[in-house]
Amino acid sequence: MKLMNEIEIDHRWHEVSKVLLDDDVLRITEKCLDCGVEGEVLDLSPSSRAKEDAVAMKKMPIKGKRSGDPFNEISELLEETRRQLLADTEYTDIGDLMDEINKRCGGEIDARTLPYSVIKRWVNTYPRKYKRKRILAHLQGLVCNRCHSIVFSESQLEIEHITPLSKGNPGSLASLQLLCRECNKRKSDEDPTERDISPINFNGETRVYRLTCVQVADLRRSYIVSKTGCSPEREL
């Protein structure tokens, strides 16, 4: 299914180190100059100069673990992912979990198309009435469907019935959208407009919002202030 909105976060990366894992792979560690987060990039075809730079940085080569059979490695990775998903749950089989998600979503989505992170959050969401909100938030993004404002937390968006319940909303996933509190309050029991499209029915072009990590931090601070009334410095 197509995503309605995507938020891309830009960092000012600075190279910290290089490690030559083997003759064909170079692991580059980077750190953001603004927020301090670290990330890693694997260069699968490093140039001769890049290899020389890695050696010059005096990083000890680390031999990658290879079983000789890449299919076994993939199988082991999938099995570990399965164990992590099912840990501390009532489900004993991935198929049962997928069936449960599809059932709770009224068969309107295919759970097999959802990313691991969304499924994991779905499993850990309580009370169960909020599980469908997880799916809507994934497809719509943390963006109000009417004013297109970006929010920091899923809790800042509210489930809204596109057609009011009083006018026969069926209550299906495709009849719901996420709005910020102000837009939800303004819409109230009004009939839907062209802006009120459920992310389940969306088939247009994905809107991409680009933010810097500094802007994301500002959103987080404003969320803390609005939620607690405390200053960001005190809360953090």
Side-chain angles (χ1 to χ4, degrees):
M1 300 183 71
K2 292 192 68 173
L3 300 182
M4 228 174 172
N5 305 288
E6 282 189 290
I7 300 175
E8 297 183 357
I9 302 174
D10 291 331
H11 296 274
R12 287 201 302 144
W13 294 113
H14 171 70
E15 188 176 290
V16 176
S17 65
K18 294 179 181 178
V19 177
L20 192 60
L21 300 181
D22 54 36
D23 291 338
D24 302 314
V25 180
L26 190 67
R27 184 176 67 199
I28 303 171
T29 301
E30 300 175 317
K31 187 173 183 177
C32 178
L33 296 174
D34 294 319
C35 68
V37 68
E38 290 192 354
E40 289 187 349
V41 177
L42 292 180
D43 186 349
L44 301 181
S45 301
S47 65
S48 297
R49 178 59 185 273
K51 295 178 183 179
E52 292 173 2
D53 289 344
V55 174
M57 294 178 78
K58 299 180 180 179
K59 298 296 180 180
M60 294 297 293
I62 302 175
K63 293 296 182 181
K65 294 181 179 179
R66 293 188 175 181
S67 65
D69 187 348
F71 293 103
N72 284 341
E73 294 181 2
I74 294 173
S75 178
E76 291 172 4
L77 179 61
L78 290 175
E79 179 60 24
E80 177 59 27
T81 301
R82 185 195 71 83
R83 285 195 295 268
Q84 291 177 5
L85 269 179
L86 300 180
D88 302 320
T89 73
E90 59 190 281
Y91 309 104
T92 57
D93 183 81
I94 285 291
D96 292 339
L97 174 56
M98 299 295 105
D99 290 343
E100 178 68 12
I101 295 175
N102 291 337
K103 178 181 177 181
R104 288 193 170 274
C105 293
E108 296 177 274
I109 66 162
D110 182 355
R112 293 172 298 178
T113 65
L114 297 174
Y116 167 84
S117 58
V118 175
I119 297 174
K120 187 65 176 176
R121 292 190 68 199
W122 189 92
V123 168
N124 295 328
T125 296
Y126 294 98
R128 291 190 174 186
K129 66 179 181 179
Y130 292 121
K131 287 183 179 290
R132 295 203 301 176
K133 187 178 182 181
R134 293 280 185 242
I135 306 299
L136 291 171
H138 164 62
L139 294 173
Q140 184 176 309
L142 297 184
V143 179
C144 174
N145 209 22
R146 278 204 157 194
C147 69
H148 304 305
S149 59
I150 301 171
V151 300
F152 172 76
S153 169
E154 191 177 297
S155 64
Q156 291 176 283
L157 293 173
E158 299 179 347
I159 294 179
E160 196 273 333
H161 294 82
I162 294 175
T163 299
L165 289 172
S166 60
K167 299 180 181 180
N169 187 296
S172 62
L173 199 63
S175 67
L176 305 174
Q177 63 180 335
L178 298 177
L179 299 181
C180 68
R181 293 186 180 97
E182 289 302 315
C183 285
N184 195 15
K185 185 177 179 180
R186 280 194 293 268
K187 183 176 182 297
S188 187
D189 284 338
E190 294 178 358
D191 289 330
T193 68
E194 67 279 358
R195 294 176 295 175
D196 300 307
I197 302 173
S198 172
I200 300 297
N201 294 328
F202 178 72
N203 59 7
E205 291 297 321
T206 301
R207 290 186 293 266
V208 179
Y209 298 81
R210 298 189 69 90
L211 298 175
T212 67
C213 58
V214 175
Q215 291 172 314
V216 172
D218 290 340
L219 280 175
R220 182 173 185 271
R221 281 192 290 268
S222 65
Y223 168 69
I224 291 173
V225 171
S226 63
K227 183 178 180 181
T228 67
C230 299
S231 67
E233 292 79 8
R234 180 180 176 187
E235 178 66 18
L236 293 173

